[in-house]
Amino acid sequence: MGIKNGVVLVLSGPSGAGKSSLINKIKEDIGDYYFSISTTTRPMREGEIEGVHYHFVTEEEFKKDIEKDNFLEYAIVHGNYYGTSIKPVKQALSEGKLVLFDIDVQGNTAVNNRLGDITTSVFITPPTLSELEKRLNGRSTDAPEVIAARMSMAKREIQRISEYDYVVVNDDLDEAAEYLKLIAKTARLKKSNEEINRFVQQWEDI
Ligand code: 5GP
């Protein structure tokens, strides 16, 4: 990925965990950051805006990007393609930013394989499965079968939380936001292997 001194913070967790609300709550307090806007083939939900929530593309367009090796990682989630474009991430890292990813467990594995030295990961979840169901129903943006699919996905994803550096239970939004802020600040202290080598060379100044 070239010279980089930014860091990555992966946020995973079921839709309905409150990831977006948490990011909104902490964004003023985490310094210079870049939120990676994924590309997806899933249909746009009501209230979503092209280029803000996602880049919405056709399956054909998505597959072309795969062929051109434009993705840092991509995965099929709930039957739709989702991917993280390399270019803006590379740019943000070279500017020393904290790069936030809202990606699933497959994405977390892929990002850790490629950028593990500068990556911190956090899994965000409601306190229980029934609370998740309540939130998904309350949101009422999805059809019942979509909600059912998200619930079974959440049950599968929760089995893999040990792959994350941190787990934040979003029961009380203010408290969860405080924890996430601390994690984001700590994530900044990660150093790439390149930076560590440079640091050691400079440190040995006698
Ligand atoms: P939603 O359709 O609710 O916006 O997202 C569904 C799931 O896809 C969420 O778990 C979200 O984190 C994940 N997701 C969104 N963008 C990406 C991406 O670029 N890569 C991967 N691997 N997962 C993503």
Side-chain angles (χ1 to χ4, degrees), residues 13 15 19 38 42 45 54 73-75 77-78 82-84 102-104 106-107 150 157:
S15 338
K19 283 173 287 180
S38 296
R42 95 148 152 69
R45 282 195 208 123
Y54 284 103
E73 63 77 37
Y74 72 91
V77 186
H78 312 302
Y82 292 82
T84 307
D102 174 350
I103 55 179
D104 79 330
Q106 306 170 75
R150 289 187 190 286
E157 285 207 331

Side-chain angles (χ1 to χ4, degrees), residues 143-164:
E145 59 274 18
V146 174
I147 291 181
R150 289 187 190 286
M151 298 273 295
S152 64
M153 171 84 175
K155 270 164 84 173
R156 263 180 285 135
E157 285 207 331
I158 203 82
Q159 306 300 325
R160 291 179 61 180
I161 54 169
S162 63
E163 294 172 26
Y164 287 80

Side-chain angles (χ1 to χ4, degrees), residues 49-63:
I49 302 164
E50 158 61 34
V52 173
H53 298 94
Y54 284 103
H55 296 292
F56 295 93
V57 297
T58 62
E59 202 165 309
E60 201 187 332
E61 288 169 316
F62 197 100
K63 285 181 174 162

